[in-house]
Amino acid sequence: MNYRQLGKTGYRVSEIGLGCWQLGGDFGPLAGDTASDILETAAACGINFWDTADVYGGGESEQRIGNSLHKPDNLVVATKVGRGAGLYPEGYSLAAVRASLEASAQRLGVDAIDLAQLHCVPPAILKQGDIFQWMESLKHSGLIRHYGASVETIEEAFTCLQQPGLATLQIIFNLFRQDAAEALLDAAQEKNVGIIVRLPLASGLLSGKFTRDTRFAESDHRNYNRDGAAFSVGETFGGIPFEKGVELAEGLEPLLTEGTPTGLAAQSLRWILDHPAVSSVIAGASSPQQITSNASACDLAPLSESTHQILSSYYQQQVRPHIRGAI
């Protein structure tokens, strides 16, 4: 495993991190033994950056991390605040944010949270700015060590970058959502803000394993939010209608994997890692085998400049017109 600097936090984090949304059962039921095996395998692979949130399974994801017996010595756990009951969409206050983070710390079994990220809070709240002052206050009080923001759009990301204390930005960035490469990544790098990439495989579309007939569990957001019924339409499948996404992934695969022994998923992760502003890619996994496969992307050679140009053209011409919601 390779490691990169996480913005101004001073942490060295694994290039491939572990997204822990699935530990809350939000992709379908996940047995306790499987959750433990996932965390143990991540630690064995050198993955020391684990990303969770208070609302993943109503705190179950955090609790499972807190209960894990196989944490790396250099583990960095990032959680989120801002989408829980009593906060979203209009209940934000210093007291409410503090209470939510105190509950997260208790579930995680820590005195101080390594990284607390604002969790897709409304743009108006971000622009108003008080919430960043509250995070600064909670940092000074010792409840959190660093703070960042997880955002839906590039406009929201630039709003957050205006805050000098911001340490990290978590964004949607993958072969089906490439716009951040135009200006945002450079701007973050200039301000020493670490980029955490979520949805690196576009909710699994870039795994190459889905067909038009693929069905998801009732409790899986890829079922109930595939058209934005529950939260941002741009989140699930990167905002692309599922059937069109499968078609686009089929067209993309030969451009990325022809002449290579690795599959679409690994090469898609490699594409993200080719951007030096990226600190860590938080890839989810529902099995230990997926973690091992994801981690292997670190060992791949960077893609050629000509391949990057081909992939950019494919995105602009074939993919981008089908993205729903703000980018």
Side-chain angles (χ1 to χ4, degrees), residues 11 94 98 101-102 104-106 110-116 133-147:
Y11 300 140
L94 173 57
R98 180 191 294 115
L101 287 170
E102 287 174 344
S104 289
Q106 184 175 18
V110 298
D111 295 325
I113 294 170
D114 295 328
L115 175 65
Q133 297 177 25
W134 302 338
M135 298 300 280
E136 194 70 35
S137 172
L138 295 172
K139 178 182 175 182
H140 286 305
S141 74
L143 178 57
I144 63 177
R145 294 192 173 95
H146 302 279
Y147 63 90

PDB file of all heavy atoms in Angstrom, residues 11 94 98 101-102 104-106 110-116 133-147:
ATOM      1  N   TYR A  11      -1.672  13.823   8.627  1.00  0.00           N
ATOM      2  CA  TYR A  11      -1.832  12.372   8.538  1.00  0.00           C
ATOM      3  C   TYR A  11      -1.266  11.851   7.221  1.00  0.00           C
ATOM      4  O   TYR A  11      -1.371  12.501   6.183  1.00  0.00           O
ATOM      5  CB  TYR A  11      -3.314  11.970   8.601  1.00  0.00           C
ATOM      6  CG  TYR A  11      -4.054  12.359   9.841  1.00  0.00           C
ATOM      7  CD1 TYR A  11      -5.363  12.832   9.761  1.00  0.00           C
ATOM      8  CD2 TYR A  11      -3.478  12.247  11.101  1.00  0.00           C
ATOM      9  CE1 TYR A  11      -6.081  13.194  10.892  1.00  0.00           C
ATOM     10  CE2 TYR A  11      -4.186  12.601  12.243  1.00  0.00           C
ATOM     11  CZ  TYR A  11      -5.485  13.077  12.130  1.00  0.00           C
ATOM     12  OH  TYR A  11      -6.187  13.429  13.249  1.00  0.00           O
ATOM     13  N   LEU A  94     -24.379  25.182  17.224  1.00  0.00           N
ATOM     14  CA  LEU A  94     -23.164  24.652  17.822  1.00  0.00           C
ATOM     15  C   LEU A  94     -23.485  23.523  18.786  1.00  0.00           C
ATOM     16  O   LEU A  94     -22.819  22.479  18.777  1.00  0.00           O
ATOM     17  CB  LEU A  94     -22.414  25.773  18.551  1.00  0.00           C
ATOM     18  CG  LEU A  94     -21.195  25.348  19.380  1.00  0.00           C
ATOM     19  CD1 LEU A  94     -20.161  24.619  18.546  1.00  0.00           C
ATOM     20  CD2 LEU A  94     -20.576  26.577  20.058  1.00  0.00           C
ATOM     21  N   ARG A  98     -22.217  19.709  18.286  1.00  0.00           N
ATOM     22  CA  ARG A  98     -21.382  19.116  19.331  1.00  0.00           C
ATOM     23  C   ARG A  98     -21.998  17.816  19.842  1.00  0.00           C
ATOM     24  O   ARG A  98     -21.296  16.805  19.986  1.00  0.00           O
ATOM     25  CB  ARG A  98     -21.210  20.090  20.492  1.00  0.00           C
ATOM     26  CG  ARG A  98     -20.329  19.503  21.619  1.00  0.00           C
ATOM     27  CD  ARG A  98     -20.368  20.323  22.882  1.00  0.00           C
ATOM     28  NE  ARG A  98     -19.768  21.624  22.704  1.00  0.00           N
ATOM     29  CZ  ARG A  98     -20.423  22.775  22.777  1.00  0.00           C
ATOM     30  NH1 ARG A  98     -21.740  22.763  23.000  1.00  0.00           N
ATOM     31  NH2 ARG A  98     -19.797  23.910  22.624  1.00  0.00           N
ATOM     32  N   LEU A 101     -21.486  14.973  17.378  1.00  0.00           N
ATOM     33  CA  LEU A 101     -20.103  14.496  17.321  1.00  0.00           C
ATOM     34  C   LEU A 101     -19.707  13.779  18.603  1.00  0.00           C
ATOM     35  O   LEU A 101     -18.927  12.818  18.570  1.00  0.00           O
ATOM     36  CB  LEU A 101     -19.161  15.669  17.041  1.00  0.00           C
ATOM     37  CG  LEU A 101     -19.210  16.198  15.605  1.00  0.00           C
ATOM     38  CD1 LEU A 101     -18.444  17.502  15.480  1.00  0.00           C
ATOM     39  CD2 LEU A 101     -18.666  15.159  14.622  1.00  0.00           C
ATOM     40  N   GLU A 102     -20.229  14.211  19.726  1.00  0.00           N
ATOM     41  CA  GLU A 102     -19.959  13.497  20.978  1.00  0.00           C
ATOM     42  C   GLU A 102     -20.518  12.081  20.915  1.00  0.00           C
ATOM     43  O   GLU A 102     -19.872  11.129  21.387  1.00  0.00           O
ATOM     44  CB  GLU A 102     -20.560  14.260  22.159  1.00  0.00           C
ATOM     45  CG  GLU A 102     -19.792  15.520  22.516  1.00  0.00           C
ATOM     46  CD  GLU A 102     -20.475  16.345  23.595  1.00  0.00           C
ATOM     47  OE1 GLU A 102     -21.683  16.103  23.854  1.00  0.00           O
ATOM     48  OE2 GLU A 102     -19.822  17.232  24.164  1.00  0.00           O
ATOM     49  N   SER A 104     -20.925  10.361  18.154  1.00  0.00           N
ATOM     50  CA  SER A 104     -20.060   9.629  17.223  1.00  0.00           C
ATOM     51  C   SER A 104     -18.792   9.169  17.924  1.00  0.00           C
ATOM     52  O   SER A 104     -18.350   8.020  17.761  1.00  0.00           O
ATOM     53  CB  SER A 104     -19.702  10.510  16.021  1.00  0.00           C
ATOM     54  OG  SER A 104     -20.814  10.713  15.174  1.00  0.00           O
ATOM     55  N   ALA A 105     -18.188  10.056  18.707  1.00  0.00           N
ATOM     56  CA  ALA A 105     -16.968   9.697  19.426  1.00  0.00           C
ATOM     57  C   ALA A 105     -17.208   8.532  20.382  1.00  0.00           C
ATOM     58  O   ALA A 105     -16.375   7.623  20.506  1.00  0.00           O
ATOM     59  CB  ALA A 105     -16.428  10.909  20.186  1.00  0.00           C
ATOM     60  N   GLN A 106     -18.352   8.539  21.027  1.00  0.00           N
ATOM     61  CA  GLN A 106     -18.679   7.450  21.944  1.00  0.00           C
ATOM     62  C   GLN A 106     -18.816   6.130  21.197  1.00  0.00           C
ATOM     63  O   GLN A 106     -18.297   5.097  21.633  1.00  0.00           O
ATOM     64  CB  GLN A 106     -19.968   7.767  22.699  1.00  0.00           C
ATOM     65  CG  GLN A 106     -20.333   6.724  23.753  1.00  0.00           C
ATOM     66  CD  GLN A 106     -21.543   7.123  24.566  1.00  0.00           C
ATOM     67  OE1 GLN A 106     -22.320   7.999  24.174  1.00  0.00           O
ATOM     68  NE2 GLN A 106     -21.732   6.492  25.712  1.00  0.00           N
ATOM     69  N   VAL A 110     -13.516   6.716  21.024  1.00  0.00           N
ATOM     70  CA  VAL A 110     -12.362   7.620  21.046  1.00  0.00           C
ATOM     71  C   VAL A 110     -12.686   8.857  21.871  1.00  0.00           C
ATOM     72  O   VAL A 110     -13.851   9.225  22.051  1.00  0.00           O
ATOM     73  CB  VAL A 110     -11.958   8.045  19.616  1.00  0.00           C
ATOM     74  CG1 VAL A 110     -11.548   6.820  18.799  1.00  0.00           C
ATOM     75  CG2 VAL A 110     -13.084   8.798  18.912  1.00  0.00           C
ATOM     76  N   ASP A 111     -11.642   9.504  22.357  1.00  0.00           N
ATOM     77  CA  ASP A 111     -11.807  10.769  23.074  1.00  0.00           C
ATOM     78  C   ASP A 111     -11.893  11.938  22.102  1.00  0.00           C
ATOM     79  O   ASP A 111     -12.553  12.946  22.401  1.00  0.00           O
ATOM     80  CB  ASP A 111     -10.637  10.989  24.038  1.00  0.00           C
ATOM     81  CG  ASP A 111     -10.594   9.949  25.147  1.00  0.00           C
ATOM     82  OD1 ASP A 111     -11.677   9.514  25.590  1.00  0.00           O
ATOM     83  OD2 ASP A 111      -9.484   9.558  25.549  1.00  0.00           O
ATOM     84  N   ALA A 112     -11.193  11.829  20.981  1.00  0.00           N
ATOM     85  CA  ALA A 112     -11.204  12.883  19.966  1.00  0.00           C
ATOM     86  C   ALA A 112     -11.325  12.242  18.589  1.00  0.00           C
ATOM     87  O   ALA A 112     -10.683  11.224  18.305  1.00  0.00           O
ATOM     88  CB  ALA A 112      -9.936  13.722  20.045  1.00  0.00           C
ATOM     89  N   ILE A 113     -12.136  12.831  17.729  1.00  0.00           N
ATOM     90  CA  ILE A 113     -12.352  12.324  16.377  1.00  0.00           C
ATOM     91  C   ILE A 113     -11.228  12.822  15.477  1.00  0.00           C
ATOM     92  O   ILE A 113     -10.926  14.019  15.456  1.00  0.00           O
ATOM     93  CB  ILE A 113     -13.722  12.779  15.853  1.00  0.00           C
ATOM     94  CG1 ILE A 113     -14.838  12.119  16.678  1.00  0.00           C
ATOM     95  CG2 ILE A 113     -13.886  12.455  14.382  1.00  0.00           C
ATOM     96  CD1 ILE A 113     -16.222  12.681  16.405  1.00  0.00           C
ATOM     97  N   ASP A 114     -10.609  11.912  14.739  1.00  0.00           N
ATOM     98  CA  ASP A 114      -9.482  12.292  13.875  1.00  0.00           C
ATOM     99  C   ASP A 114      -9.872  13.340  12.851  1.00  0.00           C
ATOM    100  O   ASP A 114      -9.154  14.328  12.649  1.00  0.00           O
ATOM    101  CB  ASP A 114      -8.933  11.057  13.145  1.00  0.00           C
ATOM    102  CG  ASP A 114      -8.333  10.032  14.088  1.00  0.00           C
ATOM    103  OD1 ASP A 114      -7.787  10.434  15.127  1.00  0.00           O
ATOM    104  OD2 ASP A 114      -8.420   8.826  13.771  1.00  0.00           O
ATOM    105  N   LEU A 115     -10.989  13.110  12.171  1.00  0.00           N
ATOM    106  CA  LEU A 115     -11.457  14.027  11.128  1.00  0.00           C
ATOM    107  C   LEU A 115     -12.971  14.024  11.117  1.00  0.00           C
ATOM    108  O   LEU A 115     -13.588  12.972  10.927  1.00  0.00           O
ATOM    109  CB  LEU A 115     -10.920  13.612   9.755  1.00  0.00           C
ATOM    110  CG  LEU A 115     -11.433  14.407   8.554  1.00  0.00           C
ATOM    111  CD1 LEU A 115     -10.977  15.871   8.630  1.00  0.00           C
ATOM    112  CD2 LEU A 115     -10.962  13.773   7.229  1.00  0.00           C
ATOM    113  N   ALA A 116     -13.569  15.180  11.329  1.00  0.00           N
ATOM    114  CA  ALA A 116     -15.027  15.331  11.274  1.00  0.00           C
ATOM    115  C   ALA A 116     -15.380  16.140  10.035  1.00  0.00           C
ATOM    116  O   ALA A 116     -14.861  17.245   9.841  1.00  0.00           O
ATOM    117  CB  ALA A 116     -15.543  16.031  12.525  1.00  0.00           C
ATOM    118  N   GLN A 133     -17.163  28.061  11.840  1.00  0.00           N
ATOM    119  CA  GLN A 133     -16.692  28.615  13.105  1.00  0.00           C
ATOM    120  C   GLN A 133     -16.970  27.631  14.242  1.00  0.00           C
ATOM    121  O   GLN A 133     -16.148  27.491  15.165  1.00  0.00           O
ATOM    122  CB  GLN A 133     -17.355  29.959  13.371  1.00  0.00           C
ATOM    123  CG  GLN A 133     -17.018  31.035  12.342  1.00  0.00           C
ATOM    124  CD  GLN A 133     -17.749  32.342  12.602  1.00  0.00           C
ATOM    125  OE1 GLN A 133     -18.144  32.637  13.729  1.00  0.00           O
ATOM    126  NE2 GLN A 133     -17.950  33.121  11.546  1.00  0.00           N
ATOM    127  N   TRP A 134     -18.108  26.967  14.171  1.00  0.00           N
ATOM    128  CA  TRP A 134     -18.413  25.965  15.202  1.00  0.00           C
ATOM    129  C   TRP A 134     -17.417  24.814  15.145  1.00  0.00           C
ATOM    130  O   TRP A 134     -16.954  24.336  16.189  1.00  0.00           O
ATOM    131  CB  TRP A 134     -19.827  25.427  15.007  1.00  0.00           C
ATOM    132  CG  TRP A 134     -20.896  26.466  15.033  1.00  0.00           C
ATOM    133  CD1 TRP A 134     -20.832  27.721  15.597  1.00  0.00           C
ATOM    134  CD2 TRP A 134     -22.196  26.363  14.451  1.00  0.00           C
ATOM    135  NE1 TRP A 134     -22.005  28.391  15.399  1.00  0.00           N
ATOM    136  CE2 TRP A 134     -22.867  27.587  14.708  1.00  0.00           C
ATOM    137  CE3 TRP A 134     -22.877  25.367  13.747  1.00  0.00           C
ATOM    138  CZ2 TRP A 134     -24.171  27.820  14.283  1.00  0.00           C
ATOM    139  CZ3 TRP A 134     -24.171  25.594  13.319  1.00  0.00           C
ATOM    140  CH2 TRP A 134     -24.810  26.814  13.587  1.00  0.00           C
ATOM    141  N   MET A 135     -17.081  24.377  13.933  1.00  0.00           N
ATOM    142  CA  MET A 135     -16.113  23.283  13.806  1.00  0.00           C
ATOM    143  C   MET A 135     -14.746  23.705  14.337  1.00  0.00           C
ATOM    144  O   MET A 135     -14.032  22.920  14.978  1.00  0.00           O
ATOM    145  CB  MET A 135     -16.019  22.832  12.347  1.00  0.00           C
ATOM    146  CG  MET A 135     -17.320  22.279  11.770  1.00  0.00           C
ATOM    147  SD  MET A 135     -17.963  20.827  12.627  1.00  0.00           S
ATOM    148  CE  MET A 135     -16.911  19.548  11.903  1.00  0.00           C
ATOM    149  N   GLU A 136     -14.390  24.960  14.085  1.00  0.00           N
ATOM    150  CA  GLU A 136     -13.127  25.485  14.613  1.00  0.00           C
ATOM    151  C   GLU A 136     -13.155  25.470  16.145  1.00  0.00           C
ATOM    152  O   GLU A 136     -12.161  25.109  16.793  1.00  0.00           O
ATOM    153  CB  GLU A 136     -12.898  26.898  14.080  1.00  0.00           C
ATOM    154  CG  GLU A 136     -11.489  27.423  14.286  1.00  0.00           C
ATOM    155  CD  GLU A 136     -10.460  26.735  13.418  1.00  0.00           C
ATOM    156  OE1 GLU A 136     -10.774  26.375  12.266  1.00  0.00           O
ATOM    157  OE2 GLU A 136      -9.323  26.545  13.914  1.00  0.00           O
ATOM    158  N   SER A 137     -14.283  25.844  16.706  1.00  0.00           N
ATOM    159  CA  SER A 137     -14.430  25.838  18.161  1.00  0.00           C
ATOM    160  C   SER A 137     -14.308  24.424  18.723  1.00  0.00           C
ATOM    161  O   SER A 137     -13.654  24.200  19.759  1.00  0.00           O
ATOM    162  CB  SER A 137     -15.787  26.441  18.537  1.00  0.00           C
ATOM    163  OG  SER A 137     -16.045  26.296  19.919  1.00  0.00           O
ATOM    164  N   LEU A 138     -14.916  23.459  18.056  1.00  0.00           N
ATOM    165  CA  LEU A 138     -14.862  22.068  18.519  1.00  0.00           C
ATOM    166  C   LEU A 138     -13.463  21.492  18.364  1.00  0.00           C
ATOM    167  O   LEU A 138     -13.055  20.614  19.147  1.00  0.00           O
ATOM    168  CB  LEU A 138     -15.891  21.241  17.756  1.00  0.00           C
ATOM    169  CG  LEU A 138     -17.349  21.627  18.011  1.00  0.00           C
ATOM    170  CD1 LEU A 138     -18.281  20.886  17.063  1.00  0.00           C
ATOM    171  CD2 LEU A 138     -17.733  21.365  19.462  1.00  0.00           C
ATOM    172  N   LYS A 139     -12.730  21.981  17.390  1.00  0.00           N
ATOM    173  CA  LYS A 139     -11.331  21.579  17.259  1.00  0.00           C
ATOM    174  C   LYS A 139     -10.519  22.106  18.435  1.00  0.00           C
ATOM    175  O   LYS A 139      -9.737  21.373  19.052  1.00  0.00           O
ATOM    176  CB  LYS A 139     -10.769  22.092  15.933  1.00  0.00           C
ATOM    177  CG  LYS A 139      -9.296  21.772  15.723  1.00  0.00           C
ATOM    178  CD  LYS A 139      -8.787  22.345  14.404  1.00  0.00           C
ATOM    179  CE  LYS A 139      -7.280  22.121  14.255  1.00  0.00           C
ATOM    180  NZ  LYS A 139      -6.752  22.714  12.989  1.00  0.00           N
ATOM    181  N   HIS A 140     -10.719  23.373  18.774  1.00  0.00           N
ATOM    182  CA  HIS A 140      -9.972  23.965  19.883  1.00  0.00           C
ATOM    183  C   HIS A 140     -10.348  23.320  21.214  1.00  0.00           C
ATOM    184  O   HIS A 140      -9.524  23.245  22.129  1.00  0.00           O
ATOM    185  CB  HIS A 140     -10.213  25.472  19.941  1.00  0.00           C
ATOM    186  CG  HIS A 140      -9.505  26.234  18.864  1.00  0.00           C
ATOM    187  ND1 HIS A 140      -8.151  26.152  18.635  1.00  0.00           N
ATOM    188  CD2 HIS A 140      -9.975  27.106  17.930  1.00  0.00           C
ATOM    189  CE1 HIS A 140      -7.801  26.921  17.627  1.00  0.00           C
ATOM    190  NE2 HIS A 140      -8.897  27.514  17.174  1.00  0.00           N
ATOM    191  N   SER A 141     -11.590  22.836  21.316  1.00  0.00           N
ATOM    192  CA  SER A 141     -12.013  22.194  22.562  1.00  0.00           C
ATOM    193  C   SER A 141     -11.464  20.778  22.707  1.00  0.00           C
ATOM    194  O   SER A 141     -11.518  20.203  23.794  1.00  0.00           O
ATOM    195  CB  SER A 141     -13.540  22.147  22.626  1.00  0.00           C
ATOM    196  OG  SER A 141     -14.066  21.163  21.733  1.00  0.00           O
ATOM    197  N   GLY A 142     -10.949  20.204  21.596  1.00  0.00           N
ATOM    198  CA  GLY A 142     -10.364  18.874  21.641  1.00  0.00           C
ATOM    199  C   GLY A 142     -11.297  17.747  21.251  1.00  0.00           C
ATOM    200  O   GLY A 142     -10.886  16.580  21.237  1.00  0.00           O
ATOM    201  N   LEU A 143     -12.551  18.059  20.910  1.00  0.00           N
ATOM    202  CA  LEU A 143     -13.480  17.004  20.508  1.00  0.00           C
ATOM    203  C   LEU A 143     -13.099  16.433  19.143  1.00  0.00           C
ATOM    204  O   LEU A 143     -13.240  15.237  18.898  1.00  0.00           O
ATOM    205  CB  LEU A 143     -14.911  17.539  20.467  1.00  0.00           C
ATOM    206  CG  LEU A 143     -16.000  16.564  20.016  1.00  0.00           C
ATOM    207  CD1 LEU A 143     -16.027  15.309  20.887  1.00  0.00           C
ATOM    208  CD2 LEU A 143     -17.367  17.251  20.007  1.00  0.00           C
ATOM    209  N   ILE A 144     -12.622  17.295  18.247  1.00  0.00           N
ATOM    210  CA  ILE A 144     -12.172  16.848  16.929  1.00  0.00           C
ATOM    211  C   ILE A 144     -10.753  17.367  16.709  1.00  0.00           C
ATOM    212  O   ILE A 144     -10.372  18.414  17.242  1.00  0.00           O
ATOM    213  CB  ILE A 144     -13.102  17.337  15.800  1.00  0.00           C
ATOM    214  CG1 ILE A 144     -13.116  18.868  15.714  1.00  0.00           C
ATOM    215  CG2 ILE A 144     -14.519  16.792  16.008  1.00  0.00           C
ATOM    216  CD1 ILE A 144     -13.946  19.430  14.576  1.00  0.00           C
ATOM    217  N   ARG A 145      -9.984  16.623  15.930  1.00  0.00           N
ATOM    218  CA  ARG A 145      -8.612  17.050  15.650  1.00  0.00           C
ATOM    219  C   ARG A 145      -8.535  17.905  14.381  1.00  0.00           C
ATOM    220  O   ARG A 145      -7.736  18.826  14.303  1.00  0.00           O
ATOM    221  CB  ARG A 145      -7.712  15.820  15.529  1.00  0.00           C
ATOM    222  CG  ARG A 145      -7.568  15.055  16.843  1.00  0.00           C
ATOM    223  CD  ARG A 145      -6.452  14.015  16.780  1.00  0.00           C
ATOM    224  NE  ARG A 145      -6.236  13.416  18.092  1.00  0.00           N
ATOM    225  CZ  ARG A 145      -6.784  12.278  18.509  1.00  0.00           C
ATOM    226  NH1 ARG A 145      -7.588  11.599  17.683  1.00  0.00           N
ATOM    227  NH2 ARG A 145      -6.540  11.811  19.712  1.00  0.00           N
ATOM    228  N   HIS A 146      -9.360  17.568  13.393  1.00  0.00           N
ATOM    229  CA  HIS A 146      -9.394  18.319  12.136  1.00  0.00           C
ATOM    230  C   HIS A 146     -10.814  18.245  11.592  1.00  0.00           C
ATOM    231  O   HIS A 146     -11.600  17.364  11.967  1.00  0.00           O
ATOM    232  CB  HIS A 146      -8.414  17.731  11.110  1.00  0.00           C
ATOM    233  CG  HIS A 146      -6.994  17.703  11.594  1.00  0.00           C
ATOM    234  ND1 HIS A 146      -6.180  18.799  11.547  1.00  0.00           N
ATOM    235  CD2 HIS A 146      -6.260  16.693  12.140  1.00  0.00           C
ATOM    236  CE1 HIS A 146      -4.994  18.485  12.039  1.00  0.00           C
ATOM    237  NE2 HIS A 146      -5.015  17.219  12.408  1.00  0.00           N
ATOM    238  N   TYR A 147     -11.128  19.171  10.698  1.00  0.00           N
ATOM    239  CA  TYR A 147     -12.451  19.136  10.089  1.00  0.00           C
ATOM    240  C   TYR A 147     -12.359  19.392   8.589  1.00  0.00           C
ATOM    241  O   TYR A 147     -11.429  20.018   8.085  1.00  0.00           O
ATOM    242  CB  TYR A 147     -13.408  20.131  10.747  1.00  0.00           C
ATOM    243  CG  TYR A 147     -13.031  21.584  10.627  1.00  0.00           C
ATOM    244  CD1 TYR A 147     -13.479  22.361   9.553  1.00  0.00           C
ATOM    245  CD2 TYR A 147     -12.247  22.199  11.601  1.00  0.00           C
ATOM    246  CE1 TYR A 147     -13.138  23.694   9.442  1.00  0.00           C
ATOM    247  CE2 TYR A 147     -11.908  23.537  11.500  1.00  0.00           C
ATOM    248  CZ  TYR A 147     -12.348  24.282  10.421  1.00  0.00           C
ATOM    249  OH  TYR A 147     -12.009  25.609  10.315  1.00  0.00           O
TER     250      TYR A 147
END
